[in-house]
Amino acid sequence: MKLSNILIKGIRILDPARKNEWQGEILINNGVVERIEKVIEAGDLQDIRVIDGTGLCIAPGFVDVHVHFRDPGFTWKEDIHTGALAAAAGGYTSVVMMANTKPALDSPDLLKEVSERAAKEDIRIYTAANLTRGMKGEELTELRALEEAGADCFSDDGKPVLSEALLRKAFEELVGVPIISLHEEDPAYIGNPGINAGVVAERLGIMGADRQAEISMVERDIRLALETGARIDIQHISTKEAVELVRQAKKQSDGIYAEATPHHFTLTEEAVLKYGANAKMNPPLRTEEDRLAIIEGLRDGTIDMIATDHAPHSREEKGITGPVASGSRTEGSRDIERLLKAPSGIIGLQTTLALGITELVDKGYLSLLRLMELMSTAPGRIFKIYTGQFLEGAPADFVIFNPTEKWVFTEKDCASKSFNTPFAGRELTGRVKYTICGGKIIYE
């Protein structure tokens, strides 16, 4: 859609940067905010689009610092274009793509090529670069060269960096430059990845992934960050112990951050029995006690941001996506075998706002303004990514949504190439109506 004048009438303005909200009207002209007043008349403006904001909210465009667009190498699952469409449909104006592609994003030339393609999309797309060559954890990439080539953060997400000496070297080299996002799972504690080593794993007769896999890595990486002064992001936190480790570390450093996913604050390990491989992810869903600890971390500021970990996989790869039979019966054994073979991860860009409202706001854990902070200004500040501002002259990156609309996420709504989600068919509250990036309506 072409750039035009947009007048948003009578809308609830949510401004987490200033911790304020009010009723007003906004005029967007030539890509920027021209006026914000209680009432604005269209007057003689030409080519103007008027949006009736009655019952709607407007907030800074969402920022997701953790998405997998699978491009290059796995584009049957997702590509940069379809990923951008899914992001826009979810209210996101900025995302950071992870670098576990094929080939891995471990060279300046490939990083530049991917970034150039990403720049053609309607949303703002930022790119992680790998910490280690080929994500093998054996040799550091050319970190400074990648930074100069445009790396917005560094991560081997999908794999931990097991060598303490290698990670320390990376921390020392990257002090004061883009943030380092860390996947915190030590394979020494993992029998079967993607499923918690708990009551469900016992029922299925498998080993699962022990919580110590995360705890031990978070403990080590916080220690290294405190010793070196590096800025780190603990990705997709899943255990109450890891939340407490971050809480204590924040008392010593302002460079320790953490993110939580919607699935980890919404579901528990029991979901695996109901949704099969669509509830399998790394790190796995844990217990109710862990889920509540994550919510408390979001509430008290221990966890800084909500990130989707949007991870598309095809229906064929996921295999079993319904109830899992357990026990010694043949069908149960087949179900478990398919579950163990399936890749981990789910999509999340189009359901995160609604899950935040449904599970956090409507249940009284967070205010709507705090949810907006977790989804927009906080990740933007930490990763130094632009988010929309309610200031005259600022680029217009906004999401407009209905906070009370009930809806059901179905495959026909899905802009992603994949539909691997446990939230299909579930009634949710809160729906994106428009996404505006750089003054252009990119979703409605």
Side-chain angles (χ1 to χ4, degrees):
M1 185 175 293
K2 69 177 182 178
L3 202 66
S4 62
N5 298 315
I6 303 170
L7 177 58
I8 304 163
K9 301 282 289 181
I11 199 163
R12 181 182 173 190
I13 299 172
L14 300 171
D15 186 357
R18 293 161 188 79
K19 301 188 185 305
N20 191 21
E21 61 176 274
W22 68 97
Q23 197 79 9
E25 300 188 349
I26 302 171
L27 176 63
I28 298 169
N29 186 20
N30 198 31
V32 302
V33 176
E34 185 168 290
R35 292 162 60 193
I36 304 176
E37 298 176 14
K38 188 172 182 180
V39 178
I40 300 174
E41 299 300 334
D44 297 328
L45 286 171
Q46 300 298 311
D47 190 28
I48 190 165
R49 171 75 183 272
V50 179
I51 295 175
D52 182 0
T54 303
L56 304 180
C57 297
I58 186 169
F62 300 146
V63 176
D64 192 346
V65 300
H66 190 160
V67 302
H68 300 269
F69 284 176
R70 309 298 192 196
D71 190 351
F74 305 99
T75 51
W76 68 89
K77 306 171 190 268
E78 194 79 287
D79 59 42
I80 291 173
H81 180 62
T82 57
L85 293 176
Y92 290 89
T93 53
S94 297
V95 300
V96 179
M97 297 189 299
M98 292 294 102
N100 59 337
T101 54
K102 188 176 183 179
L105 292 183
D106 60 2
S107 75
D109 287 344
L110 182 58
L111 182 70
K112 287 178 181 177
E113 186 269 320
V114 169
S115 298
E116 286 170 1
R117 288 195 288 116
K120 297 175 182 178
E121 301 298 330
D122 284 336
I123 65 169
R124 305 179 195 274
I125 300 179
Y126 301 82
T127 308
N130 292 122
L131 273 171
T132 69
R133 293 188 183 277
M135 295 180 62
K136 295 179 180 179
E138 299 170 353
E139 181 185 2
L140 291 180
T141 54
E142 299 174 64
L143 299 174
R144 290 295 182 177
L146 286 164
E147 182 196 1
E148 291 174 3
D152 296 286
C153 71
F154 288 90
S155 182
D156 274 5
D157 179 49
K159 294 183 179 181
V161 179
L162 295 177
S163 168
E164 179 171 332
L166 194 67
L167 191 61
R168 179 187 290 276
K169 184 179 178 182
F171 281 9
E172 291 171 344
E173 191 168 336
L174 291 172
V175 168
V177 298
I179 198 166
I180 303 160
S181 295
L182 298 166
H183 184 108
E184 306 286 36
E185 285 192 296
D186 186 342
Y189 294 95
I190 299 174
N192 303 108
I195 301 164
N196 186 47
V199 294
V200 171
E202 290 175 6
R203 179 172 170 180
L204 297 176
I206 63 176
M207 294 179 66
D210 192 275
R211 61 195 305 107
Q212 192 61 32
E214 175 174 279
I215 297 164
S216 62
M217 296 293 286
V218 171
E219 197 168 36
R220 183 201 71 175
D221 293 350
I222 285 176
R223 173 174 55 81
L224 289 177
L226 292 175
E227 290 172 359
T228 60
R231 298 172 67 242
I232 64 168
D233 167 30
I234 305 298
Q235 295 184 308
H236 40 43
I237 201 164
S238 72
T239 61
K240 63 178 183 179
E241 293 90 347
V243 174
E244 185 59 28
L245 285 167
V246 172
R247 181 177 286 117
Q248 296 307 315
K250 282 177 173 287
K251 297 176 183 178
Q252 304 175 64
S253 171
D254 59 2
I256 309 293
Y257 309 103
E259 64 186 52
T261 71
H263 38 280
H264 284 111
F265 67 65
T266 299
L267 302 172
T268 68
E269 59 186 333
E270 300 287 339
V272 174
L273 298 175
K274 184 175 182 180
Y275 304 111
N278 276 346
K280 180 182 178 184
M281 61 274 298
N282 298 332
L285 300 169
R286 306 284 186 185
T287 67
E288 177 67 1
E289 195 174 3
D290 294 308
R291 188 183 76 86
L292 292 175
I294 289 168
I295 291 174
E296 177 60 20
L298 290 166
R299 191 196 66 78
D300 71 9
T302 299
I303 300 173
D304 303 273
M305 49 201 158
I306 292 171
T308 67
D309 192 11
H310 177 80
H313 294 292
S314 70
R315 194 183 306 273
E316 293 73 22
E317 291 171 303
K318 275 294 189 180
I320 179 167
T321 55
V324 179
S326 59
S328 59
R329 293 178 295 110
T330 301
E331 186 56 38
S333 299
R334 288 175 181 169
D335 280 358
I336 295 167
E337 184 179 345
R338 289 197 293 269
L339 178 65
L340 295 179
K341 287 182 178 179
S344 294
I346 63 172
I347 60 171
L349 284 164
Q350 290 181 248
T351 51
T352 295
L353 170 67
L355 289 168
I357 292 175
T358 304
E359 294 293 331
L360 301 176
V361 177
D362 286 356
K363 292 184 178 180
Y365 294 113
L366 301 179
S367 68
L368 189 56
L369 196 60
R370 171 61 177 158
L371 179 64
M372 296 301 98
E373 181 179 22
L374 289 162
M375 293 183 65
S376 62
T377 53
R381 171 179 52 80
I382 293 165
F383 278 73
K384 301 179 181 178
I385 288 172
Y386 177 76
T387 55
Q389 299 182 57
F390 295 104
L391 296 172
E392 293 181 2
D397 283 19
F398 299 118
V399 56
I400 297 174
F401 63 94
N402 187 328
T404 60
E405 181 177 340
K406 296 188 182 299
W407 64 293
V408 174
F409 185 49
T410 64
E411 194 160 5
K412 69 179 177 62
D413 301 310
C414 186
S416 171
K417 283 186 179 181
S418 300
F419 193 59
N420 51 310
T421 173
F423 303 114
R426 175 176 172 174
E427 185 177 78
L428 300 168
T429 302
R431 191 166 196 179
V432 173
K433 309 303 286 186
Y434 302 89
T435 305
I436 301 170
C437 187
K440 181 167 68 171
I441 297 173
I442 61 171
Y443 172 80
E444 66 174 301

